[in-house]
Amino acid sequence: MKKLIAITALVTLFSANLFAAPAPKKVNGNDLQKTVAVTGYNNRMNIVVSLTDAIAIRPVVQITDRQGHQLCAEKLGGKAGAYKSFDFSELETGDYTLTVTAGQQEFKKQVHIYEEEGKMTYFFIQ
């Protein structure tokens, strides 16, 4: 009976590991979301994407509209401090997605652009 319980426990343990979702691979030992900073400057309608740490695979930043049309794609440098500034002032009101990808890792920020008192502004949707 003890052998049957032990075998059942082992089978349960191994089968749980088979179906568990794999952890996202790190890029150069770094979690991409912790290595990339996304900062907004509402007064200029700019969003700056920068690296807080060096990374082996250069991240690609894409901006898409609600329909999934790619509006922009830029590659960041791989050194700490590298950055790109994206001007959102010419975009219409609506929702946009800023996607940062490096290797198999990616993270997204949703941006909502709207007009308030005759001025365009935006905020990040969490």
Side-chain angles (χ1 to χ4, degrees), residues 53-122:
D53 197 6
I55 192 166
I57 299 173
R58 291 175 56 191
V60 175
V61 180
Q62 295 180 342
I63 299 171
T64 54
D65 64 13
R66 182 175 224 149
Q67 291 76 30
H69 299 114
Q70 182 175 310
L71 305 176
C72 176
E74 295 282 336
K75 202 174 238 191
L76 286 175
K79 296 181 180 179
Y83 71 94
K84 291 278 182 180
S85 180
F86 298 92
D87 183 1
F88 279 64
S89 65
E90 299 296 319
L91 296 178
E92 297 178 6
T93 59
D95 296 323
Y96 297 88
T97 303
L98 187 141
T99 306
V100 181
T101 308
Q104 294 182 354
Q105 284 193 67
E106 103 174 356
F107 77 91
K108 297 181 179 190
K109 289 272 190 182
Q110 301 296 322
V111 180
H112 178 73
I113 298 176
Y114 64 101
E115 189 173 337
E116 184 177 276
E117 297 179 7
K119 291 183 74 176
M120 298 296 283
T121 189
Y122 66 89

Side-chain angles (χ1 to χ4, degrees), residues 8 24 33 41 52 61 64 92 100 125:
T8 304
Q33 197 162 357
Y41 297 95
T52 58
V61 180
T64 54
E92 297 178 6
V100 181
I125 301 171

Side-chain angles (χ1 to χ4, degrees), residues 1-12:
M1 185 70 168
K2 287 183 181 180
K3 285 185 181 181
L4 180 61
I5 293 172
I7 290 172
T8 304
L10 285 174
V11 169
T12 303

